[in-house]
Amino acid sequence: MNKLQEKAEPLELGLYIHVPFCARSCDFCHFYQEPPKRSDLNTYLDGMDIAMGKNPPPRIAGTAFWGGGTPGLLSAKDLERLCKTMVRSNYGVVPKEWSIEMAPATVKKDKIRILKDQGVSRISMGVQSFQPGLLDALGRVHSLEQVERSIELLKTEGWDNFNLDMIFAIPGQTLKMWEQDLDAVIQAGPMHISTYCLTFEEDTALWVRLQKGQVQRHTVEDEARFHELTWEKLAQAGYEQYEVSNFAKKGYACRHNLDTWRMQEWVGYGPSASSQLGIRRWTEPHSIDEWLAGLRDGRTKLTEEVQLTPNILAQDYLIFGLRMNAGVDLVDWESRFGESPIKGWEPFKTTLLEEGLAKSEGTRLWLTDSGRLVADRIGEEVLGLE
Ligand code: SF4
């Protein structure tokens, strides 16, 4: 921990585990993943034993998040092994909040029972849509039947704390179709819902189709209407928005993500996992073999490594903080990163307030609905401030 980080209160450490396997690549996805070959799975699990055994987190982590890839693709036995590896390295302590991402096709009774036994507290499932045509448009491998069966199974097995991920602004999707999806996800009754506006990432199958003119993206005005409908319907159904894309019943916001967005520290394990600790932020190699070789000979070739400065952390605190409905506490910001850590901030803040994109009260500043609709643009502008 360094001076930059030690002022953060409360200083909860997060653990991130990356499981880089997917049955096949979804058309919109740009994350690093591999097909689940048995030999690679064994290499990965052996590597996790080495990584977490050799370099345990510097102190007990209070939250954990397993993402990917598809962590749920691991067998029940492999999940149990990885759970035990993680808890052992976390000084034998089960994190208070422990989320695992699962694709609907991977939710099986034996797996979710083992996860519960090991202390996992939250399952996050990438549903994306309840409409078969839209699932096809996204290249998702699961069917509507698998979505419905997995939600039912989670409920009958006593998992009330689960999240469903949804995507909107899919080519061909009308506002009416999105409204039907929102009705379906509300009807499913999760404690947490994430809704993401589809992005076209370079070199994904969807991006290639866009370049060839085979699909059309929605306009910015359309996207705003999708957002507004989402906010209205989820609020009516009792889901409180706490970030541009995240909604939860009272008390069910994802603590791990909140801590990350507040620029707390986290340690990531696994190929392509990122960490932020002390004055460093880094990303592990995007290849199982390179990652394992680095673990064995101690000379990991990191994909990315950044020496954090007060300016970088102060900017990221604003970018992520302004996406949250609670906004940012400017006194906390200055006390952590120094007085006026970004020179151009004051005039920029005044413009946000004058244009009705933000509001402030006391030490807090948050985006209005209009501001939240252009949160990406505001983030880019904060990044450009000196
Ligand atoms: S399951 Fe998730 S990580 Fe895997 S390809 Fe699909 S979106 Fe990407």
Side-chain angles (χ1 to χ4, degrees):
M1 201 191 314
N2 74 326
K3 275 204 163 51
L4 281 179
Q5 293 284 358
E6 73 194 7
K7 291 177 184 168
E9 284 293 338
L11 238 185
E12 190 83 281
L13 181 72
L15 276 183
Y16 175 71
I17 304 282
H18 193 81
V19 185
F21 302 102
C22 289
R24 56 163 273 200
S25 191
C26 299
D27 291 357
F28 58 93
C29 180
H30 65 294
F31 293 123
Y32 161 65
Q33 8 101 12
E34 303 265 355
K37 284 197 292 201
R38 188 64 248 175
S39 56
D40 284 344
L41 286 163
N42 288 342
T43 307
Y44 167 75
L45 291 167
D46 291 345
M48 291 303 271
D49 281 340
I50 300 173
M52 302 194 81
K54 262 192 183 172
N55 299 306
R59 57 190 186 280
I60 294 172
T63 64
F65 196 101
W66 290 19
T70 317
L73 211 62
L74 298 184
S75 67
K77 202 158 147 259
D78 290 345
L79 283 170
E80 184 175 26
R81 175 176 167 187
L82 192 54
C83 285
K84 287 191 165 147
T85 301
M86 190 195 82
V87 172
R88 197 166 46 241
S89 117
N90 197 35
Y91 309 92
V93 177
V94 173
K96 292 189 283 282
E97 182 194 270
W98 181 357
S99 306
I100 293 195
E101 285 182 348
M102 296 189 89
T106 66
V107 176
K108 302 276 187 280
K109 202 182 277 183
D110 58 343
K111 295 186 190 184
I112 57 178
R113 284 191 177 169
I114 277 184
L115 294 177
K116 190 164 252 192
D117 285 350
Q118 296 301 312
V120 174
S121 54
R122 187 172 176 273
I123 284 181
S124 177
M125 199 157 66
V127 168
Q128 321 308 5
S129 174
F130 285 83
Q131 299 179 32
L134 294 177
L135 289 174
D136 281 350
L138 293 169
R140 290 291 298 198
V141 286
H142 61 253
S143 63
L144 176 60
E145 291 69 35
Q146 282 171 321
V147 169
E148 290 171 344
R149 191 198 49 76
S150 54
I151 293 171
E152 200 46 47
L153 189 58
L154 286 176
K155 288 181 180 171
T156 52
E157 289 291 312
W159 289 85
D160 65 334
N161 190 6
F162 63 92
N163 164 62
L164 299 181
D165 275 351
M166 301 291 291
I167 291 187
F168 61 82
I170 303 166
Q173 185 184 33
T174 61
L175 208 55
K176 184 78 203 152
M177 288 158 93
W178 177 233
E179 188 168 17
Q180 287 162 350
D181 260 348
L182 286 169
D183 286 336
V185 74
I186 291 166
Q187 177 70 26
M191 287 300 173
H192 191 287
I193 298 174
S194 300
T195 60
Y196 299 106
C197 185
L198 181 67
T199 52
F200 292 79
E201 305 292 341
E202 213 165 306
D203 293 336
T204 59
L206 203 56
W207 185 82
V208 171
R209 290 212 287 280
L210 184 71
Q211 297 310 304
K212 288 184 178 163
Q214 293 166 345
V215 292
Q216 301 243 300
R217 71 195 306 166
H218 287 273
T219 62
V220 175
E221 292 73 26
D222 282 350
E223 288 179 0
R225 283 203 287 273
F226 279 103
H227 273 293
E228 283 163 350
L229 180 67
T230 311
W231 300 347
E232 186 190 318
K233 285 203 70 106
L234 293 186
Q236 278 166 6
Y239 291 91
E240 197 178 318
Q241 185 183 24
Y242 67 99
E243 197 263 355
V244 172
S245 309
N246 287 284
F247 307 79
K249 297 275 184 179
K250 210 165 186 49
Y252 285 88
C254 177
R255 175 74 197 274
H256 181 87
N257 285 342
L258 284 170
D259 285 350
T260 306
W261 298 330
R262 288 179 184 133
M263 293 299 114
Q264 306 277 26
E265 295 180 303
W266 77 93
V267 203
Y269 295 92
S272 86
S274 292
S275 304
Q276 175 165 296
L277 198 61
I279 54 163
R280 278 178 78 222
R281 186 184 289 161
W282 71 94
T283 304
E284 301 289 332
H286 284 222
S287 140
I288 296 179
D289 291 337
E290 272 181 40
W291 168 73
L292 188 66
L295 285 172
R296 290 208 161 118
D297 67 14
R299 284 185 299 208
T300 303
K301 289 196 209 93
L302 298 173
T303 304
E304 196 188 4
E305 184 169 17
V306 177
Q307 294 296 315
L308 295 171
T309 61
N311 193 273
I312 292 175
L313 281 170
Q315 274 175 326
D316 289 349
Y317 182 97
L318 288 178
I319 292 168
F320 288 94
L322 286 173
R323 295 179 65 85
M324 294 192 269
N325 289 49
V328 289
D329 185 320
L330 294 172
V331 168
D332 177 48
W333 183 60
E334 291 204 350
S335 78
R336 281 179 67 182
F337 310 117
E339 211 171 307
S340 307
I342 299 174
K343 301 261 172 305
W345 167 246
E346 280 304 321
F348 183 72
K349 183 180 85 176
T350 306
T351 309
L352 289 179
L353 292 167
E354 282 174 359
E355 291 182 357
L357 298 174
K359 276 192 174 167
S360 73
E361 196 180 300
T363 61
R364 201 158 276 287
L365 179 87
W366 67 94
L367 295 185
T368 57
D369 281 355
S370 326
R372 235 170 272 128
L373 285 175
V374 291
D376 288 348
R377 197 198 80 207
I378 292 174
E380 280 164 26
E381 289 177 13
V382 170
L383 204 55
L385 297 175
E386 294 288 316

